[in-house]
Every structure is written in C-alpha cells, then in structure tokens.
Amino acid sequence: MPHNKVKVLFGDTKMEFPDTYDVVDKVEKDCKEEGIDFLRSRSEFDPEYTWDKFGPPAQTMRWCCSVHKTAPQIIKLREYTENRSNATTLSFPPLKAT
C-alpha cells in the first residue's frame, strides 16, 4: 500500500482520560514526522450540554457514541474527502490491556 494511503482519525469525545490524550498527541506527532495525515473529529456539542439534554450515557441509552464519535467522524471524513454522500471507513476499537 502506498505511503500515506491510510489516514489516522481520532474521534475525540472531549471526555477521554488525560493518558489517552497523551498517547493521541504522541501518535499525531509521529504521523506528522512520517507524513501521514492525522485527523481529529469532535462534536459541535460540549459533553456538558448533551449530558444535560440526554442524561449520562448508559448501557441501554447509547446516545453518546452517535453524538460524540460516529457523527463527527463521518462529518470529518466527508469534509476531508470532499465526498458529501459517502465515505468508506474501517474502525478499530481501543485495545484492551492484557
């Protein structure tokens, strides 16, 4: 696969742990040094606002990912690719510590 064919996109909920942001900042720096595009997406809504409107995220009420991850990532990809109708993605969930 050609260099920089794959882009890195971080879906920032604005609710991540400080250690997560430390790792993301390092990955972003490494990507920049290697000439790999690194994108960050964020909801236009602050977490405090959405929590007030919908309540805290819960097992049965999973609004948080849609509002703070999925929709902002799709919007960012459509802006980046200038493709407003479709964007093909492959998502990797965070790794769990073993």
Side-chain angles (χ1 to χ4, degrees), residues 94-98:
L95 297 174
K96 292 183 181 180
T98 56

Side-chain angles (χ1 to χ4, degrees), residues 10-16 21 40-43 68-69:
F10 171 59
D12 186 357
T13 64
K14 301 183 201 170
M15 296 179 270
E16 312 300 337
Y21 287 111
R40 286 184 193 233
S41 65
R42 286 186 172 167
S43 174
H68 288 283
K69 278 205 182 268

Side-chain angles (χ1 to χ4, degrees), residues 4-81:
N4 200 26
K5 186 71 174 173
V6 174
K7 314 304 180 199
V8 177
L9 171 62
F10 171 59
D12 186 357
T13 64
K14 301 183 201 170
M15 296 179 270
E16 312 300 337
F17 291 112
D19 289 347
T20 299
Y21 287 111
D22 290 344
V23 171
V24 170
D25 290 342
K26 182 184 181 324
V27 170
E28 183 176 27
K29 180 180 176 271
D30 291 346
C31 286
K32 186 175 183 176
E33 289 173 2
E34 294 296 325
I36 297 170
D37 293 340
F38 183 96
L39 310 168
R40 286 184 193 233
S41 65
R42 286 186 172 167
S43 174
E44 63 185 85
F45 303 108
D46 287 326
E48 294 83 5
Y49 173 82
T50 54
W51 280 48
D52 184 53
K53 294 294 179 193
F54 303 117
Q59 198 78 14
T60 57
M61 188 69 163
R62 303 290 297 176
W63 61 265
C64 185
C65 286
S66 298
V67 172
H68 288 283
K69 278 205 182 268
T70 309
Q73 287 176 339
I74 291 169
I75 291 166
K76 177 60 85 176
L77 287 172
R78 287 180 177 172
E79 290 170 355
Y80 180 80
T81 62

